[in-house]
Amino acid sequence: MNRKTFIRTGMLLVPIPLFGNIKKETIMLDTAIIGGASAGLAAAMTLGRSARKAIVFDTAEPRNRPAAHAHNFLTQDGTPPSEILAIGRRQLQQYPSVQIEQDKVISATKSGVHFRLETASGKQITARSIILATGVKDILPDIEGVEKLWGNRVVHCPYCHGWEMRNQPVAIIANGEDALHLVPMVHNLNKDIVILTNGKSTIPEKLPVPVIEKNIRRMEEEGEGIKITFADGSTLLKAGAYLRVAGLRFHTALAEQLGCELTEAGSVKVDAMYQTTVPNVFAAGDVSHPGHHQVSMAVAGGHMAGAACNRVLCVEDFERLK
Ligand SMILES: Cc1cc2nc3c(=O)[nH]c(=O)nc-3n(C[C@H](O)[C@H](O)[C@H](O)COP(=O)(O)OP(=O)(O)OC[C@H]3O[C@@H](n4cnc5c(N)ncnc54)[C@H](O)[C@@H]3O)c2cc1C
């Protein structure tokens, strides 16, 4: 059999022989996992350890890839995100019923009691269950240069990067309730703070920290820190900045295509066992909850979705014996 999977070296996916090569014909699997980062690989491990025939499709765009290091993940604090995923993929190799493919799932639909998936490269998969682990994308504000600094000198989360920025002068680029939410947590680690509302302030109360309401034109590296240039040409030097993103977006419309209900906050609605509103479709990781997005939470969700999915399949198989 032509066995094949991918190992991540840095951000490069290198094919290695391992499992049945999927061609353009339809094959039947227990589970198709869409998204192969923290949540998807964790689900794959639980299913692999249950001898489930599962495939993971991944387009290698995990949300934290701009960050040099991942933090607040026990046993891997400070490890580059790509290395954490490479370890996960390496450990999955001991479960031969799991295959990892670098490919984008472009459609997922219900076909009788099963699900039919199609990928960008033309593969067709039929699976008894699906785990959506596709994560979310950050929508950065329209500020020149911000993308280059994102994840390192401009960060979003005190738990991920706060310790590294502690006791340094920082800006908080946020407005309204978002600013109100973020300021006390940043103040816990940094006393030299300025809030940049990037336009007229909508912060609902007066805060004991300075607020600058000017529009921001550009952000760039300056020595060990960053330079922020406002629309009026004035500048501000800081060690770094916290930024509240303009929004989060799904990578794909697969959840909607499958008929999964979304929550008011826009994530895929799941129950306590990570099952969506469509039976046999599970969702885990950032796509399945609106807040406190963390690698550890994605891993926990992935394991739970994998276990719940396996349980459903076990019961289906056992019922046939009756
Ligand atoms: C800049 C930044 C830094 C962060 N740092 C930290 C940190 O230090 N510590 C921490 O705990 N958390 C951190 N986070 C949060 C963390 O990145 C997320 O909580 C975590 O990545 C969620 O994992 P996930 O598996 O749900 O989604 P993701 O990691 O986003 O992975 C989703 C995967 O699905 C793939 N995919 C999407 N659509 C398809 C498709 N149609 N077909 C195939 N594959 C698809 C994507 O390419 C991607 O590989 C950070 C976030 C950001 C933005």
Side-chain angles (χ1 to χ4, degrees):
M1 213 200 281
N2 181 8
R3 294 167 165 248
K4 185 172 112 174
T5 190
F6 292 86
I7 288 217
R8 200 185 292 251
T9 50
M11 289 314 290
L12 204 68
L13 290 171
V14 181
I16 59 149
L18 180 70
F19 191 65
N21 195 15
I22 308 246
K23 297 226 178 74
K24 293 191 177 174
E25 74 270 20
T26 303
I27 63 155
M28 171 64 91
L29 295 158
D30 288 322
T31 309
I33 301 168
I34 311 173
S38 303
L41 294 181
M45 180 164 283
T46 302
L47 289 165
R49 292 179 60 75
S50 307
R52 286 289 167 200
K53 207 168 175 194
I55 190 161
V56 181
F57 287 112
D58 189 40
T59 44
E61 290 183 316
R63 188 174 166 204
N64 55 353
R65 68 192 180 287
H69 303 100
H71 291 282
N72 207 30
F73 183 32
L74 197 64
T75 77
Q76 296 300 336
D77 190 41
T79 306
S82 59
E83 214 174 298
I84 295 175
L85 297 178
I87 294 168
R89 284 170 181 262
R90 225 168 21 244
Q91 292 186 343
L92 277 168
Q93 282 177 54
Q94 62 190 312
Y95 305 107
S97 65
V98 172
Q99 175 169 342
I100 304 175
E101 289 267 326
Q102 190 186 16
D103 206 348
K104 181 175 181 149
V105 177
I106 53 168
S107 93
T109 48
K110 187 120 186 159
S111 166
V113 289
H114 297 132
F115 300 93
R116 204 180 164 85
L117 269 64
E118 234 184 283
T119 72
S121 74
K123 289 173 193 116
Q124 294 190 354
I125 302 293
T126 303
R128 297 169 64 193
S129 58
I130 288 183
I131 297 180
L132 293 166
T134 44
V136 292
K137 270 193 232 181
D138 295 277
I139 313 301
L140 298 178
D142 193 14
I143 299 172
E144 190 189 320
V146 70
E147 204 169 337
K148 214 168 146 202
L149 302 171
W150 180 237
N152 295 295
R153 294 184 197 201
V154 176
V155 302
H156 72 306
C157 160
Y159 301 106
C160 302
H161 310 287
W163 178 257
E164 287 64 39
M165 297 231 294
R166 72 193 185 282
N167 300 330
Q168 298 183 55
V170 294
I172 298 176
I173 305 170
N175 207 348
E177 295 284 348
D178 287 340
L180 213 52
H181 176 79
L182 204 49
V183 170
M185 288 186 294
V186 177
H187 188 262
N188 176 47
L189 293 168
N190 306 71
K191 300 298 175 258
D192 183 345
I193 296 174
V194 59
I195 299 174
L196 309 181
T197 50
N198 194 20
K200 193 166 169 40
S201 171
T202 55
I203 302 172
E205 57 185 77
K206 194 161 165 42
L207 298 171
V209 292
V211 176
I212 297 178
E213 297 186 77
K214 298 186 225 178
N215 286 314
I216 303 169
R217 182 195 297 157
R218 190 170 56 246
M219 295 175 73
E220 61 206 301
E221 275 182 25
E222 177 84 14
E224 294 291 294
I226 57 170
K227 181 164 104 179
I228 299 161
T229 305
F230 295 101
D232 66 4
S234 60
T235 59
L236 191 66
L237 295 176
K238 290 284 164 193
Y242 283 89
L243 170 74
R244 196 36 70 107
V245 294
L248 299 176
R249 193 177 286 159
F250 286 166
H251 284 273
T252 64
L254 296 174
E256 294 95 318
Q257 218 177 78
L258 284 160
C260 301
E261 242 180 77
L262 305 185
T263 63
E264 259 179 45
S267 43
V268 178
K269 191 172 181 179
V270 291
D271 63 17
M273 302 307 284
Y274 291 82
Q275 183 158 247
T276 69
T277 49
V278 177
N280 286 27
V281 178
F282 298 79
D286 288 1
V287 79
S288 68
H289 64 112
H292 204 65
H293 290 154
Q294 292 274 275
V295 169
S296 53
M297 303 285 285
V299 168
H303 280 309
M304 199 61 234
C309 178
N310 178 54
R311 161 90 192 153
V312 165
L313 299 176
C314 289
V315 170
E316 280 179 11
D317 292 341
F318 198 72
E319 283 298 310
R320 279 194 214 106
L321 300 178
K322 288 184 183 167

